[in-house]
Amino acid sequence: MNFFRLTADLMHLLSIFVLLLKIQKTRSCSGISFKTQLLYAVVFVTRYLDLLKWISLYNTLMKIFFIASSIYILYLMKIKFRATYDPSQDTFRIEFLLGACLLLALVFNYTFTFIEVLWTFSIYLEAVAILPQLFMLSRTGEAETITTHYLFALGAYRGLYLLNWIWRFYTEHHIDWIVWVAGAIQTALYSDFFYIYYKKVLHGQKFELP
Amino acid sequence: EYKLPIKDEL
C-alpha cells in the first residue's frame, strides 16, 4: 500500500457515498445513468470472483463494499426511486461496450482461463463504464453540482491509480500492462469533464456545457 | 517462467 493507492481507494469510496447522498437527499436519481451503474455492478461482480482468496482484511472488506453498494444503487434506481429515472435521457447502447470488452478480453489476456478472462473483461469494462453517464451529461448539457462532485471523485480515483502504478513500478518493479492501458484510457475519458469542473464548479458556478 | 501480476489492487 502506498499514499496514492490509499487516497485513490478513499476517493472511490467517497464517490459512492456522494452518489448515495445525492439520491437520498434529493430523493431522486435524475441525472444519474442507470446504465453506467449497471456496468459498475457487472464490473465488481466479474472482478471479485476471487472474493474468498485472502489478501488482507482491507482488500476483502472493500470488495464486499463495492459489490454490495453497486447492487444497492441499482435497487435505489430501479425500485425505490424508479419514478425519478428518465430512460429517455439514458440512451447509450451498452450492448456494444459489453460485446467489445468481452471480445477484447478473450483476445488480450494474461492466461486463457474462465476467471482470468472475466477479470480482464472487468478491467476493460470499467475503463468505458462511465461513457453512458458522460453521454447523458452531454445530452442534457448541465448537471446538479453534487452529481459533478460524484464524477470528480470517480475520475480522481482513477487518476491517482496512475500515480500509484508509476510509484509501484519504481519501488516494486510491479508491471501490469492490461490494467495500465485500461486505466490510462479510463482517466483520459474524464479530461473534458475535469476541465469544465475546474472552470465552472470550483468557481461556484453551475455545471453547464459550453 | 512467466508469472501473472499479483492481483492485490481493487
Side-chain angles (χ1 to χ4, degrees):
Chain A
M1 184 55 76
N2 60 61
F3 170 79
F4 300 114
R5 196 167 136 205
L6 183 63
T7 315
D9 287 345
L10 293 179
M11 283 301 256
H12 198 181
L13 280 186
L14 180 70
S15 75
I16 293 170
F17 284 121
V18 170
L19 178 60
L20 287 171
L21 189 73
K22 178 256 175 308
I23 297 174
Q24 302 282 11
K25 280 274 174 189
T26 63
R27 301 193 60 77
S28 161
C29 48
S30 70
I32 304 296
S33 165
F34 177 79
K35 290 181 176 177
T36 281
Q37 298 306 320
L38 178 66
L39 292 181
Y40 281 132
V42 173
V43 163
F44 293 133
V45 169
T46 51
R47 184 173 309 167
Y48 300 150
L49 291 173
D50 65 347
L51 186 63
L52 296 178
K53 194 179 140 202
W54 185 260
I55 293 167
S56 64
L57 182 64
Y58 172 84
N59 189 276
T60 304
L61 289 179
M62 292 288 258
K63 285 175 175 173
I64 293 171
F65 176 80
F66 287 132
I67 294 173
S69 62
S70 66
I71 292 170
Y72 179 59
I73 288 164
L74 295 185
Y75 155 77
L76 289 179
M77 294 191 75
K78 210 63 185 175
I79 297 166
K80 194 162 181 205
F81 298 113
R82 189 192 179 98
T84 62
Y85 170 67
D86 181 6
S88 71
Q89 297 288 336
D90 195 12
T91 52
F92 196 93
R93 297 290 298 271
I94 56 171
E95 299 87 340
F96 297 117
L97 294 182
L98 288 162
C101 290
L102 187 61
L103 198 65
L104 278 173
L106 287 167
V107 178
F108 301 104
N109 52 61
Y110 291 131
T111 44
F112 196 76
T113 61
F114 181 72
I115 296 268
E116 193 66 20
V117 168
L118 277 186
W119 175 83
T120 313
F121 167 73
S122 84
I123 296 290
Y124 296 153
L125 190 61
E126 186 187 349
V128 293
I130 198 64
L131 285 176
Q133 179 66 62
L134 293 178
F135 182 70
M136 193 171 173
L137 205 65
S138 69
R139 272 194 58 155
T140 51
E142 55 174 40
E144 288 172 271
T145 301
I146 191 161
T147 304
T148 66
H149 292 329
Y150 160 67
L151 284 168
F152 174 77
L154 203 55
Y157 137 69
R158 265 296 134 166
L160 286 162
Y161 254 94
L162 294 182
L163 300 178
N164 156 63
W165 295 324
I166 295 168
W167 179 267
R168 292 191 80 180
F169 176 72
Y170 285 109
T171 58
E172 306 167 33
H173 304 289
H174 178 80
I175 294 173
D176 196 334
W177 284 109
I178 287 177
V179 165
W180 288 356
V181 172
I185 292 171
Q186 185 174 352
T187 310
L189 292 180
Y190 284 89
S191 47
D192 272 4
F193 168 81
F194 281 147
Y195 178 73
I196 302 170
Y197 183 80
Y198 173 76
K199 292 283 274 188
K200 298 245 173 172
V201 181
L202 289 187
H203 291 86
Q205 297 171 30
K206 188 177 164 57
F207 184 95
E208 278 174 321
L209 294 183
Chain B
E1 190 197 347
Y2 179 72
K3 273 175 66 181
L4 280 176
I6 176 173
K7 290 184 179 34
D8 58 350
E9 290 180 352
L10 297 158

